[in-house]
Each structure stands twice: as C-alpha cells, then as structure tokens.
Amino acid sequence: MSDPVLTLTAVSKSFPGVRALHDVSLSLQSGRVTALIGENGAGKSTIVKILTGIYRPDSGEIHVGGAARHFSSPRDAWAAGIAAIHQETVMFDELTVAENIFMGHMPVAATGGVDWSRMRARAADLLERIDAPIPPGLPLKRLSVAQKHLVEIARALSHEAQVVIMDEPTAALSANEIDDLFRIVEQLKAEGHAVVFISHKFDEIFRIADDFVCLRDGEKVGEGPVASVTEAELVRMMVGRPVDQVFPKRDVPIGDVVLSVEGLSNATEYADISFDLRKGEILGLYGLVGAGRTEAMQGLFGITPTTRGRVTLEGRPLAVASPADAIAAGISYVPEDRQDQGAILSLGIRENVTLASLGQYVRGLFLSRPLEIDETRHLGRRLAVKASSWEQRLAELSGGNQQKVVIAKWLATRPKVIVLDEPTKGIDIGSKAAVHEFIGELAGEGLAVVLISSELPEVMGLADRLIVMKEGRIVEEFQRGRWSAEAIVGAATGARRDAA
Amino acid sequence: MTSLIKSRELFLALILVIGVILIGSYDPVFVRWQNISDMLTETSVLFMLALAQMVVILTRGIDLSVAANLALSGFVAALVSQYYPGVPLALMIAAGVAVGLLLGMINGALVALLTIPPIVVTLGTLAVYRGMIIILAGGDQVNASEMGDVFQAFPKQTFLGLTTPIWIAIGVSILFWLFLNFTRTGRGLYAVGGNPLAARYCGISQGRQEFLAYSIAGAVSGLCGYLWVARYGVAYSEIASGYELTVIAACVIGGVSIGGGVGTVAGTLLGALFLGIVNTALPVLQISPFWQMAIAGAVILAAVVINARAEHRPDKLILPEARRLGRDSGLLRRVKA
C-alpha cells in the first residue's frame, strides 16, 4: 500500500467529564473510501471536528502528506486539503451556487474586485467534473438537498481537497439521489482523493467503503478492509461491552394497560407506531439518532399533527390536538433539550414549576400564591433543588438544578404517563445515576414511563420492555431478559437478523 | 448597590424621590399639590399606554400603532358626541374602547395568524389608522365647540381630590397587576416571551397569547383616545403623533426587556412617571423643551445599560474554590480579580 494521505497518531480529546477520544490512530489512503462506524456518541463527530480544525486534540499528531500539521482553525484544514460535507449543509441560501463554491477564496480581478466571469466559469467547470447539471448563477435556495450536497462537493474540489469527509451524506436523500452521490464518490476515488464516509447504514458501508474504522466509547476497537468482515462482526465490535448490572433495576409490580397507541402516523416522519404501556412499566425506545423516536412521541403529545392513529388512555379514546390536551389527559413529555425547550430562564423557580399545571392553583378568579408555593416547595425538596429561595430566577441556577426544576414542572401535572426524551444526555456520571434512580422511583409510584435513549446500557439497564425504531417505524420489540446488545443494535442499524 | 440594581423598581423610585426633592428645593412650586396633580393627570394616559405596551413587549412583540389607534378611536368617540349628543357618556367612551379593541384585534390577527413580524404589522397599521382619520374627517377636525359638554367635562372632574384620568389610571393599573400576577393567561404572557418553545410544551399557545396582548393594547389605546380628545378638546389625524415612542421609552426605562418575558407593572409605572416628571420639571428649571428629547434619550440609554448588566448571566462555577465560596460571595469577586 502507498504512503497514506493523512494519518492521525494517538489522538485524544476530553471535555469536562467526558472522554470523547482516547488514543485513536488511523490512516487514510488515496483512492480509497474509509467508513467510520460506531454507535451514537462513539467519537465519530469528534474525529471529524478534529480533522476540520474545529477542535484541537489534547494530545496526538496529525500528518498530512507526511508533514506534521496543527490546525488552529477550519481555514488551516482547508489549506491542508481537507474538506467536509456535513449532515445539514452549512451554506448561504441567498447567494448563488458559484458564490457558495468560492466563498472565502473568490478569484480576484486586476481591479481588486471579484472576478465574476472567471468565478462563474470555474464553478461551471467544477460542477461539470462531477456531472452535476446545476447553473452556477442559480441562488442556492432553489436547489434540493441532494443538489446542495453536490455544490458542497464542488466546493471541496475548488480547494483541491485531498481528503473529503462525508458525514451522513445520505440522511436526507432519496434512493436515486444516493445512487448519484455514490457515482460521484467512485469518481473521487478514481481521481485519487481519500474519502471518509460516515453512515449508520450497513448496506451503504458495504456498497461504497473499502476500509473501515470502528469506534466505541472514544476508542478504536477495530479496523481493516470491509471485505474481510461481516455485518455481525461489525455490530459486535460496535457494541461489545458487558451491559448488564450497570444500573440496579428496581423490582416494580407491573399493572394494567394505561396507554394504548395504535397505528400512529405522520406523513413524513413516522408510521404505524403501535404499543401498549402498563402502570409501573418502563418502556425503552431505542434507535439511532434520526430514527423518528422523538418525532413520534411529539405526535403523541400534540406538538406536531398526526395523520392517522388511535390513542387510548385508561380505556377511553383520547384525541390530542395540542400539548394542553395531552397534559390535561395526564401525559407529560420532558423534552430532550431542557435548556431550550424546558426552562424559562427569565422566570423564577415557582413560576417555572407551576407553569404546566396552572389550573390546579386557581381559586375563584385568581391564582393562589400559597398553593403555588406549597407545590414548589414539595417538589423542590423532593428533587433536592438547590436555591436561595423558591422565587430565584432560573438564570441564576446551575444547569443541573435547572433540569430538576423542569422535571418538577412535569411532575406537578400529576401525569399517568411520562415520556422522558434522552434524560441523561450531556450530564455527568454522578447526576446520571441519580436520574436513573429517580426514573425507577417514578415507575415504583405507578407511573408509566417511556424512556427514549440512545445509550444502550441505559435502556437495557432500566427498561422492562424495549421497542426499536428504524427509519420512522418500529422494527423490533424485545422483552427484558430476552435481548442482547447485538440483537438490539442489529435491529436499529438494519443489519440482517440472522447475522445478529 | 448591586442589590438595589437588582430590585430596579426601588432603584428607580429612589432616583425619582431624590430628583423631586432636588427640583423642589430649587423651586417649591414644583412640589405643590396642584402641580403634582396636574402632572399626574397629564401623565395618566402615558401610565396606561405604557402598561398596554408592556403586555405586548412581554410576548417579544412591539406595537407602534398605539398612538395612531388612540387618535382614530378618540376621533370616533368625538364623532359620536358630535352627531349623537343625547347618547349617555358611558356609550361614547365604550365606542372609543370598542374601536380601539377592534383595531388591536386586527394587529393581533396579523401577528398571530399570519405570523408577520410585529414591527412590520404595526408600522403598516399605524399609517392605515392615521389615514382612516383623514378619510373619515375629509381632512377636517372635530373642535371643542362640536363635542358635547359632558364629553369634555368628565376628564376635568375630581373625586376625593384626584382627577378622573388619575382614578382611571389607578383602576387600569390594578387590573393589569391582578391580570399579570394572578391569572393563568397573565403568566402565559411571561412564559411565551421568556421561552416560546418551552411555553408551547406546557400547552400555552403563542398565537393566542399574542392575539390577546395586541387586543388589550388596542382596548387601552381606545380608552386613552377618549381621554386625550376630551381633555384637549380637539380630534384630528395628527393628535399624539409620535407618542408611541414615548410609550416604548417609558417601558424601557421601567425595566421591560425588549427581548420579551421581563417586566413589571410597578417598574413600567415608574418609567412613565419618570418621563412625566422630566416633562414638567424642565419648564420649572427653565430648560428649553428641546432638551427634553435629549434627556429622555440619555435616560433610556442608561436604563438599557443597567438592564444589560442585570441580565448578564453569571459565570459558571467550575473552579473548586469558586464552588465552595458560592456565587454571591464577595470573596469570589476578589478571587476572580
């Protein structure tokens, strides 16, 4: 094999409380496609960010074309010949295709201004090279997602990029568009570029990639030619850790069916979501990021409209047209991004805690301040919120305490069913254990819990039953004790079942 | 000092008291009851319009059409009194309020249903409402001689030593205080402005809250329209021209955050009172009224700076020594410096 175009040697990167990458080495060959695989949070994005100059590694070296490089900004990475095509394209909608391609390095005319005609001509050349029939003068906003990807590829080529990174480029593409994209990837290979391809879809990896690098918990756990492995082996590499006994599972008697969902569907996001949920039960909802779990639960909660489906709560049919309906019926949804979707920083603790259940505190015409304070004190103490007074503004609290206030807000609605969306995302290990214990406590009190989580150990540790979603549909259901990490990840990624 | 700025109502009140004492010691006429009563009567419309504007700003909106609305509703009320002099006064006032409410509902519908940015909507309706007066009046105006006597006498009457506009402003202020602090809808206004997404998850509809806020602002503008026209005895297309900016200024001085979600009845009233005092004090101090704008402007900038400092989010507590000491400790500041 020839000398690698790019090598990472023993690269590590940590964030407060999280080890994102540990001692990872990899090398990219010219004319080959390397697939970067791993579960959510395994460290793939961190590698992309290091390669594109967004993060600086704590230790380790980057060599490009044999020379050591230090990237202190994305511009340095461009200059070294590394270009990335992102999941959601980051470009300028109001500008033309040509301007987008040459943003930051537009050709300059003798007068000192932009040489528009040369820029258009070069843009047309680049687009022709990848067989993309897009007029360079067209505003970007008139292009489809797939066409925008092509413009990004042209932009990468305009930098003479030797390494092209594609971060889940097929996520928003139709089958035909994927074929077109893969044709261009083949062409980039033929021209001698090194391509990094990140995808969760095994069929795509086996179709396009030559080599693979597998990450787990920030460490490299395998690499080699794709032809030498099977899907089952890749899944085992991705998961490969003992997951039982991470969290002590509480023994909770499981009661009657509380919530029954039948055929819940939305035109573009999810279809035929059906499940029963019992009193005291924790139902795990696992899937890859973007599998439609959050969207389906938002539909149930009335945030987004559903097109079809029947919901029954305690035997009575339930029509949810808005979150207010869901709250009134006894369904709570604790959203994933608690800062953005949960906390109102300009208001005090009391006002936040009572916001979703204000009807309970009305006496006569007006809200009763003492009733509000009682409830806030009760829940604040139960969740151990640390604050100088119950009137303190949320902006003055720490992130962890803000989260507790948001959870208190939903408990104040006295829910029968509570949906927790990634409840431990972005919090440290100590707080995680506390949240896990608390989820067990809620179930113990007879609440029915839906736990959306992308962390396998978490769902396997806590859930009584597990539903796996893939591409907007439920693909598998597992009972506690009759599941394996391999089978769950296999179902979520679409690896063949017999392989798992 | 920091704690005073935190409770900005107290801070503002303190500045007002000091100011009044200083001006009073310069010219005792200023602190005579007659002068204070005149000043409060003069400012009563500003009190009410500022509260109405605050409700809109709480939802992250702005209503530039309040003064135009005031002029049009006042004009309609004057027309009623001109052509139907036998109608009871309450009905004339109700006509003004009803027109104001309708105009406010138009703003609300455009903002909430069509989700057009509030500044664009109300900039447009401002011009439309003023234009409608010209069309209704055919370029003419309604004079004091054409309005009924009862119509004009009411704002000049006094009850228990206070004029009726002051009493009305007190009543409206109490209603706003109750509404904003002790009703679900009032709390919803703060929630929608503080974090629209979080409010939505709590079952609070942003559109409904916005519609309500502009409707309230409209109804109050209508009421003020009657008071203005009856007090000054003239109704035409240009009355209260540009007054919306004074109203917004009162809100900002009173600590209402233009970013939405923050503002109190007390603060807004003090902001309006501040401008009222400045307006009456300048002639007493023999300062040219041309300075009035500059002074109000400087105060607004000062208020915004204080607001920005108060809104500044505290640093994170990462250092172990910082966590031990806590955020409010004076020691911490020395550690940081």
Side-chain angles (χ1 to χ4, degrees), chain A residues 97 147 317:
Chain A
V97 169
Q147 287 173 315

Side-chain angles (χ1 to χ4, degrees), chain B residues 1-8 10-11:
Chain B
M1 189 66 185
T2 3
S3 56
L4 266 185
I5 291 176
K6 259 182 193 161
S7 160
R8 63 170 304 124
L10 240 103
F11 183 62

Side-chain angles (χ1 to χ4, degrees), chain A residues 341-468:
Chain A
Q341 303 172 346
I344 299 181
L345 300 181
S346 55
L347 292 183
I349 296 174
R350 169 178 57 80
E351 287 153 317
N352 270 283
V353 168
T354 57
L355 192 62
S357 53
L358 280 174
Q360 289 174 22
Y361 320 105
V362 176
R363 289 293 174 269
L365 274 176
F366 297 114
L367 290 166
S368 156
R369 186 68 51 99
L371 287 178
E372 282 191 68
I373 292 172
D374 278 352
E375 180 76 357
T376 307
R377 191 186 297 131
H378 167 68
L379 287 167
R381 284 191 183 147
R382 179 170 169 200
L383 287 156
V385 175
K386 288 197 195 86
S388 57
S389 97
W390 300 123
E391 300 296 318
Q392 199 175 0
R393 286 197 316 148
L394 235 59
E396 295 167 13
L397 300 188
S398 70
N401 276 308
Q402 288 176 5
Q403 296 204 4
K404 289 177 186 171
V405 171
V406 173
I407 292 173
K409 171 173 79 182
W410 291 110
L411 292 182
T413 65
R414 307 268 181 277
K416 299 176 182 112
V417 175
I418 190 161
V419 181
L420 301 165
D421 198 344
E422 302 282 4
T424 60
K425 191 179 174 184
I427 66 178
D428 61 82
I429 294 168
S431 310
K432 254 185 197 180
V435 171
H436 291 148
E437 200 180 320
F438 186 68
I439 294 172
E441 233 177 87
L442 291 180
E445 287 167 18
L447 238 78
V449 180
V450 178
L451 173 67
I452 301 180
S453 175
S454 299
E455 286 192 42
L456 205 48
E458 183 168 287
V459 275
M460 290 178 74
L462 285 172
D464 296 293
R465 203 151 50 89
L466 185 61
I467 286 175
V468 179

